[in-house]
Amino acid sequence: MKRLTVVIGVAALVSAGLFAEELASSPISDAGAAAGLNVQNEAAPADDGVLSAQEISKSIEEVDGIKVFAEVLKNSSDTVASVASASGVTVLAPVDTVADSEKISKNIADYIVPEKLTKENLESKNSVQTLSGKVLPVEVSDTAILIDNVEISDFSSSADDKVAVCRLSGDFSEKSLALAE
């Protein structure tokens, strides 16, 4: 009888593990994610090419001069749930001295490019497409790089290698963003 109880107990544990694994990859959990339910452990970094707003903001919070942007991004998970990109993402973050948190929060997806950019590959582009779908013009001169008529003051790396930061000397104007649509 003890042997039968042990066999049944082991079978139950194995079945429970298999059930949990299948549930995690089922359409039910995908539906839960679509409904806004958190089905992944937020502490674990995404290795599937998808970064949440929380992961991006945590990654950039130590970059000097963009604390306002990082805070707005951290609080915008209802607007920017996640970004899918195999190469990473680039945040176009206005520096704190000129950042308008209200304007940024209204247009946060206009400040995120679902591609990790470097200064070199940005200089070879005519435009970049943001998470919102807007195409922003890129202009390169001998002295500056402009995105949507806003000068990039510096390129930085974040705490992890999936997020690049372009510190902007100003906010994007709502007028120019409307024209970019």
PDB file of all heavy atoms in Angstrom, residues 75-105:
ATOM      1  N   ASN A  75       6.195  55.106 -15.504  1.00  0.00           N
ATOM      2  CA  ASN A  75       4.776  55.249 -15.187  1.00  0.00           C
ATOM      3  C   ASN A  75       3.871  55.148 -16.411  1.00  0.00           C
ATOM      4  O   ASN A  75       2.690  55.452 -16.319  1.00  0.00           O
ATOM      5  CB  ASN A  75       4.533  56.588 -14.480  1.00  0.00           C
ATOM      6  CG  ASN A  75       5.238  56.638 -13.145  1.00  0.00           C
ATOM      7  OD1 ASN A  75       5.271  55.663 -12.417  1.00  0.00           O
ATOM      8  ND2 ASN A  75       5.826  57.773 -12.840  1.00  0.00           N
ATOM      9  N   SER A  76       4.410  54.719 -17.542  1.00  0.00           N
ATOM     10  CA  SER A  76       3.612  54.695 -18.769  1.00  0.00           C
ATOM     11  C   SER A  76       3.320  53.294 -19.275  1.00  0.00           C
ATOM     12  O   SER A  76       3.045  53.119 -20.453  1.00  0.00           O
ATOM     13  CB  SER A  76       4.335  55.479 -19.862  1.00  0.00           C
ATOM     14  OG  SER A  76       5.492  54.771 -20.262  1.00  0.00           O
ATOM     15  N   SER A  77       3.340  52.312 -18.402  1.00  0.00           N
ATOM     16  CA  SER A  77       3.126  50.942 -18.863  1.00  0.00           C
ATOM     17  C   SER A  77       1.734  50.728 -19.441  1.00  0.00           C
ATOM     18  O   SER A  77       1.507  49.781 -20.182  1.00  0.00           O
ATOM     19  CB  SER A  77       3.408  49.933 -17.753  1.00  0.00           C
ATOM     20  OG  SER A  77       2.571  50.180 -16.654  1.00  0.00           O
ATOM     21  N   ASP A  78       0.787  51.630 -19.152  1.00  0.00           N
ATOM     22  CA  ASP A  78      -0.520  51.529 -19.789  1.00  0.00           C
ATOM     23  C   ASP A  78      -0.465  51.984 -21.245  1.00  0.00           C
ATOM     24  O   ASP A  78      -1.256  51.551 -22.073  1.00  0.00           O
ATOM     25  CB  ASP A  78      -1.569  52.329 -19.024  1.00  0.00           C
ATOM     26  CG  ASP A  78      -1.208  53.793 -18.875  1.00  0.00           C
ATOM     27  OD1 ASP A  78       0.002  54.114 -18.844  1.00  0.00           O
ATOM     28  OD2 ASP A  78      -2.134  54.625 -18.793  1.00  0.00           O
ATOM     29  N   THR A  79       0.495  52.839 -21.589  1.00  0.00           N
ATOM     30  CA  THR A  79       0.659  53.311 -22.962  1.00  0.00           C
ATOM     31  C   THR A  79       1.657  52.452 -23.722  1.00  0.00           C
ATOM     32  O   THR A  79       1.405  52.058 -24.857  1.00  0.00           O
ATOM     33  CB  THR A  79       1.161  54.774 -22.969  1.00  0.00           C
ATOM     34  OG1 THR A  79       0.279  55.555 -22.164  1.00  0.00           O
ATOM     35  CG2 THR A  79       1.207  55.328 -24.366  1.00  0.00           C
ATOM     36  N   VAL A  80       2.789  52.179 -23.113  1.00  0.00           N
ATOM     37  CA  VAL A  80       3.830  51.358 -23.723  1.00  0.00           C
ATOM     38  C   VAL A  80       3.963  50.099 -22.880  1.00  0.00           C
ATOM     39  O   VAL A  80       4.667  50.087 -21.884  1.00  0.00           O
ATOM     40  CB  VAL A  80       5.188  52.103 -23.765  1.00  0.00           C
ATOM     41  CG1 VAL A  80       6.271  51.215 -24.348  1.00  0.00           C
ATOM     42  CG2 VAL A  80       5.078  53.387 -24.550  1.00  0.00           C
ATOM     43  N   ALA A  81       3.255  49.057 -23.271  1.00  0.00           N
ATOM     44  CA  ALA A  81       3.316  47.813 -22.507  1.00  0.00           C
ATOM     45  C   ALA A  81       4.641  47.107 -22.753  1.00  0.00           C
ATOM     46  O   ALA A  81       5.334  46.704 -21.828  1.00  0.00           O
ATOM     47  CB  ALA A  81       2.153  46.906 -22.875  1.00  0.00           C
ATOM     48  N   SER A  82       4.997  46.942 -24.024  1.00  0.00           N
ATOM     49  CA  SER A  82       6.244  46.263 -24.353  1.00  0.00           C
ATOM     50  C   SER A  82       6.698  46.657 -25.743  1.00  0.00           C
ATOM     51  O   SER A  82       5.929  47.185 -26.539  1.00  0.00           O
ATOM     52  CB  SER A  82       6.064  44.744 -24.273  1.00  0.00           C
ATOM     53  OG  SER A  82       5.106  44.331 -25.223  1.00  0.00           O
ATOM     54  N   VAL A  83       7.966  46.395 -26.016  1.00  0.00           N
ATOM     55  CA  VAL A  83       8.564  46.691 -27.308  1.00  0.00           C
ATOM     56  C   VAL A  83       9.233  45.423 -27.802  1.00  0.00           C
ATOM     57  O   VAL A  83      10.096  44.870 -27.123  1.00  0.00           O
ATOM     58  CB  VAL A  83       9.614  47.824 -27.196  1.00  0.00           C
ATOM     59  CG1 VAL A  83      10.213  48.132 -28.548  1.00  0.00           C
ATOM     60  CG2 VAL A  83       9.009  49.067 -26.564  1.00  0.00           C
ATOM     61  N   ALA A  84       8.838  44.974 -28.979  1.00  0.00           N
ATOM     62  CA  ALA A  84       9.441  43.782 -29.565  1.00  0.00           C
ATOM     63  C   ALA A  84      10.515  44.213 -30.563  1.00  0.00           C
ATOM     64  O   ALA A  84      10.239  44.935 -31.509  1.00  0.00           O
ATOM     65  CB  ALA A  84       8.381  42.943 -30.281  1.00  0.00           C
ATOM     66  N   SER A  85      11.735  43.792 -30.311  1.00  0.00           N
ATOM     67  CA  SER A  85      12.844  44.105 -31.198  1.00  0.00           C
ATOM     68  C   SER A  85      14.005  43.179 -30.887  1.00  0.00           C
ATOM     69  O   SER A  85      14.450  43.110 -29.742  1.00  0.00           O
ATOM     70  CB  SER A  85      13.300  45.557 -31.015  1.00  0.00           C
ATOM     71  OG  SER A  85      14.454  45.812 -31.780  1.00  0.00           O
ATOM     72  N   ALA A  86      14.465  42.479 -31.908  1.00  0.00           N
ATOM     73  CA  ALA A  86      15.571  41.544 -31.712  1.00  0.00           C
ATOM     74  C   ALA A  86      16.870  42.264 -31.364  1.00  0.00           C
ATOM     75  O   ALA A  86      17.684  41.756 -30.604  1.00  0.00           O
ATOM     76  CB  ALA A  86      15.755  40.693 -32.963  1.00  0.00           C
ATOM     77  N   SER A  87      17.080  43.477 -31.903  1.00  0.00           N
ATOM     78  CA  SER A  87      18.337  44.180 -31.662  1.00  0.00           C
ATOM     79  C   SER A  87      18.325  45.036 -30.409  1.00  0.00           C
ATOM     80  O   SER A  87      19.365  45.485 -29.955  1.00  0.00           O
ATOM     81  CB  SER A  87      18.671  45.065 -32.872  1.00  0.00           C
ATOM     82  OG  SER A  87      17.769  46.145 -32.971  1.00  0.00           O
ATOM     83  N   GLY A  88      17.160  45.288 -29.848  1.00  0.00           N
ATOM     84  CA  GLY A  88      17.041  46.156 -28.690  1.00  0.00           C
ATOM     85  C   GLY A  88      16.239  47.390 -29.051  1.00  0.00           C
ATOM     86  O   GLY A  88      15.546  47.417 -30.071  1.00  0.00           O
ATOM     87  N   VAL A  89      16.322  48.421 -28.228  1.00  0.00           N
ATOM     88  CA  VAL A  89      15.579  49.654 -28.470  1.00  0.00           C
ATOM     89  C   VAL A  89      16.477  50.857 -28.256  1.00  0.00           C
ATOM     90  O   VAL A  89      17.523  50.771 -27.612  1.00  0.00           O
ATOM     91  CB  VAL A  89      14.342  49.780 -27.549  1.00  0.00           C
ATOM     92  CG1 VAL A  89      13.368  48.649 -27.761  1.00  0.00           C
ATOM     93  CG2 VAL A  89      14.733  49.884 -26.102  1.00  0.00           C
ATOM     94  N   THR A  90      16.025  51.977 -28.809  1.00  0.00           N
ATOM     95  CA  THR A  90      16.694  53.255 -28.582  1.00  0.00           C
ATOM     96  C   THR A  90      15.666  54.206 -28.006  1.00  0.00           C
ATOM     97  O   THR A  90      14.565  54.331 -28.538  1.00  0.00           O
ATOM     98  CB  THR A  90      17.248  53.837 -29.896  1.00  0.00           C
ATOM     99  OG1 THR A  90      18.172  52.902 -30.455  1.00  0.00           O
ATOM    100  CG2 THR A  90      17.944  55.167 -29.668  1.00  0.00           C
ATOM    101  N   VAL A  91      16.008  54.844 -26.900  1.00  0.00           N
ATOM    102  CA  VAL A  91      15.147  55.880 -26.358  1.00  0.00           C
ATOM    103  C   VAL A  91      15.726  57.225 -26.757  1.00  0.00           C
ATOM    104  O   VAL A  91      16.931  57.447 -26.698  1.00  0.00           O
ATOM    105  CB  VAL A  91      14.961  55.775 -24.822  1.00  0.00           C
ATOM    106  CG1 VAL A  91      14.228  54.514 -24.452  1.00  0.00           C
ATOM    107  CG2 VAL A  91      16.262  55.869 -24.087  1.00  0.00           C
ATOM    108  N   LEU A  92      14.846  58.090 -27.217  1.00  0.00           N
ATOM    109  CA  LEU A  92      15.207  59.451 -27.600  1.00  0.00           C
ATOM    110  C   LEU A  92      14.756  60.329 -26.441  1.00  0.00           C
ATOM    111  O   LEU A  92      13.625  60.796 -26.403  1.00  0.00           O
ATOM    112  CB  LEU A  92      14.492  59.831 -28.905  1.00  0.00           C
ATOM    113  CG  LEU A  92      14.663  58.849 -30.067  1.00  0.00           C
ATOM    114  CD1 LEU A  92      13.765  59.232 -31.240  1.00  0.00           C
ATOM    115  CD2 LEU A  92      16.115  58.751 -30.494  1.00  0.00           C
ATOM    116  N   ALA A  93      15.629  60.497 -25.467  1.00  0.00           N
ATOM    117  CA  ALA A  93      15.259  61.099 -24.194  1.00  0.00           C
ATOM    118  C   ALA A  93      15.708  62.550 -24.090  1.00  0.00           C
ATOM    119  O   ALA A  93      16.906  62.831 -24.128  1.00  0.00           O
ATOM    120  CB  ALA A  93      15.876  60.296 -23.055  1.00  0.00           C
ATOM    121  N   PRO A  94      14.750  63.473 -23.935  1.00  0.00           N
ATOM    122  CA  PRO A  94      15.131  64.862 -23.688  1.00  0.00           C
ATOM    123  C   PRO A  94      15.874  64.970 -22.354  1.00  0.00           C
ATOM    124  O   PRO A  94      15.518  64.299 -21.389  1.00  0.00           O
ATOM    125  CB  PRO A  94      13.792  65.596 -23.611  1.00  0.00           C
ATOM    126  CG  PRO A  94      12.812  64.694 -24.278  1.00  0.00           C
ATOM    127  CD  PRO A  94      13.309  63.300 -24.035  1.00  0.00           C
ATOM    128  N   VAL A  95      16.896  65.803 -22.316  1.00  0.00           N
ATOM    129  CA  VAL A  95      17.641  65.989 -21.076  1.00  0.00           C
ATOM    130  C   VAL A  95      16.754  66.686 -20.046  1.00  0.00           C
ATOM    131  O   VAL A  95      15.809  67.409 -20.393  1.00  0.00           O
ATOM    132  CB  VAL A  95      18.959  66.780 -21.291  1.00  0.00           C
ATOM    133  CG1 VAL A  95      19.932  65.969 -22.130  1.00  0.00           C
ATOM    134  CG2 VAL A  95      18.705  68.132 -21.906  1.00  0.00           C
ATOM    135  N   ASP A  96      17.045  66.452 -18.787  1.00  0.00           N
ATOM    136  CA  ASP A  96      16.198  66.930 -17.696  1.00  0.00           C
ATOM    137  C   ASP A  96      15.954  68.439 -17.722  1.00  0.00           C
ATOM    138  O   ASP A  96      14.873  68.897 -17.370  1.00  0.00           O
ATOM    139  CB  ASP A  96      16.809  66.544 -16.346  1.00  0.00           C
ATOM    140  CG  ASP A  96      16.729  65.050 -16.077  1.00  0.00           C
ATOM    141  OD1 ASP A  96      15.921  64.359 -16.729  1.00  0.00           O
ATOM    142  OD2 ASP A  96      17.488  64.577 -15.211  1.00  0.00           O
ATOM    143  N   THR A  97      16.935  69.214 -18.142  1.00  0.00           N
ATOM    144  CA  THR A  97      16.799  70.674 -18.087  1.00  0.00           C
ATOM    145  C   THR A  97      15.735  71.204 -19.044  1.00  0.00           C
ATOM    146  O   THR A  97      15.250  72.319 -18.858  1.00  0.00           O
ATOM    147  CB  THR A  97      18.144  71.364 -18.394  1.00  0.00           C
ATOM    148  OG1 THR A  97      18.620  70.898 -19.661  1.00  0.00           O
ATOM    149  CG2 THR A  97      19.162  71.074 -17.313  1.00  0.00           C
ATOM    150  N   VAL A  98      15.355  70.419 -20.058  1.00  0.00           N
ATOM    151  CA  VAL A  98      14.344  70.875 -21.016  1.00  0.00           C
ATOM    152  C   VAL A  98      13.140  69.943 -21.092  1.00  0.00           C
ATOM    153  O   VAL A  98      12.170  70.236 -21.789  1.00  0.00           O
ATOM    154  CB  VAL A  98      14.942  71.038 -22.432  1.00  0.00           C
ATOM    155  CG1 VAL A  98      16.001  72.114 -22.454  1.00  0.00           C
ATOM    156  CG2 VAL A  98      15.466  69.730 -22.960  1.00  0.00           C
ATOM    157  N   ALA A  99      13.187  68.822 -20.383  1.00  0.00           N
ATOM    158  CA  ALA A  99      12.128  67.814 -20.493  1.00  0.00           C
ATOM    159  C   ALA A  99      10.808  68.312 -19.909  1.00  0.00           C
ATOM    160  O   ALA A  99      10.767  68.823 -18.798  1.00  0.00           O
ATOM    161  CB  ALA A  99      12.555  66.530 -19.793  1.00  0.00           C
ATOM    162  N   ASP A 100       9.753  68.164 -20.680  1.00  0.00           N
ATOM    163  CA  ASP A 100       8.393  68.504 -20.251  1.00  0.00           C
ATOM    164  C   ASP A 100       7.662  67.190 -20.027  1.00  0.00           C
ATOM    165  O   ASP A 100       7.238  66.537 -20.981  1.00  0.00           O
ATOM    166  CB  ASP A 100       7.712  69.344 -21.333  1.00  0.00           C
ATOM    167  CG  ASP A 100       6.288  69.745 -20.990  1.00  0.00           C
ATOM    168  OD1 ASP A 100       5.657  69.091 -20.135  1.00  0.00           O
ATOM    169  OD2 ASP A 100       5.792  70.710 -21.606  1.00  0.00           O
ATOM    170  N   SER A 101       7.534  66.785 -18.763  1.00  0.00           N
ATOM    171  CA  SER A 101       6.987  65.461 -18.467  1.00  0.00           C
ATOM    172  C   SER A 101       5.575  65.277 -19.000  1.00  0.00           C
ATOM    173  O   SER A 101       5.213  64.187 -19.436  1.00  0.00           O
ATOM    174  CB  SER A 101       7.055  65.166 -16.973  1.00  0.00           C
ATOM    175  OG  SER A 101       6.325  66.108 -16.247  1.00  0.00           O
ATOM    176  N   GLU A 102       4.773  66.319 -18.988  1.00  0.00           N
ATOM    177  CA  GLU A 102       3.405  66.205 -19.506  1.00  0.00           C
ATOM    178  C   GLU A 102       3.412  65.939 -21.018  1.00  0.00           C
ATOM    179  O   GLU A 102       2.697  65.078 -21.509  1.00  0.00           O
ATOM    180  CB  GLU A 102       2.616  67.482 -19.199  1.00  0.00           C
ATOM    181  CG  GLU A 102       1.158  67.384 -19.596  1.00  0.00           C
ATOM    182  CD  GLU A 102       0.387  68.635 -19.204  1.00  0.00           C
ATOM    183  OE1 GLU A 102       0.607  69.155 -18.093  1.00  0.00           O
ATOM    184  OE2 GLU A 102      -0.436  69.082 -20.017  1.00  0.00           O
ATOM    185  N   LYS A 103       4.232  66.683 -21.731  1.00  0.00           N
ATOM    186  CA  LYS A 103       4.315  66.503 -23.186  1.00  0.00           C
ATOM    187  C   LYS A 103       4.884  65.120 -23.528  1.00  0.00           C
ATOM    188  O   LYS A 103       4.390  64.444 -24.427  1.00  0.00           O
ATOM    189  CB  LYS A 103       5.206  67.594 -23.794  1.00  0.00           C
ATOM    190  CG  LYS A 103       5.240  67.570 -25.311  1.00  0.00           C
ATOM    191  CD  LYS A 103       6.232  68.566 -25.884  1.00  0.00           C
ATOM    192  CE  LYS A 103       5.819  69.979 -25.624  1.00  0.00           C
ATOM    193  NZ  LYS A 103       6.711  70.961 -26.293  1.00  0.00           N
ATOM    194  N   ILE A 104       5.899  64.694 -22.790  1.00  0.00           N
ATOM    195  CA  ILE A 104       6.506  63.379 -23.042  1.00  0.00           C
ATOM    196  C   ILE A 104       5.494  62.272 -22.779  1.00  0.00           C
ATOM    197  O   ILE A 104       5.351  61.346 -23.568  1.00  0.00           O
ATOM    198  CB  ILE A 104       7.768  63.181 -22.181  1.00  0.00           C
ATOM    199  CG1 ILE A 104       8.847  64.165 -22.589  1.00  0.00           C
ATOM    200  CG2 ILE A 104       8.291  61.748 -22.317  1.00  0.00           C
ATOM    201  CD1 ILE A 104      10.014  64.239 -21.613  1.00  0.00           C
ATOM    202  N   SER A 105       4.771  62.366 -21.662  1.00  0.00           N
ATOM    203  CA  SER A 105       3.833  61.286 -21.327  1.00  0.00           C
ATOM    204  C   SER A 105       2.704  61.186 -22.343  1.00  0.00           C
ATOM    205  O   SER A 105       2.205  60.095 -22.602  1.00  0.00           O
ATOM    206  CB  SER A 105       3.300  61.428 -19.904  1.00  0.00           C
ATOM    207  OG  SER A 105       2.472  62.551 -19.791  1.00  0.00           O
TER     208      SER A 105
END
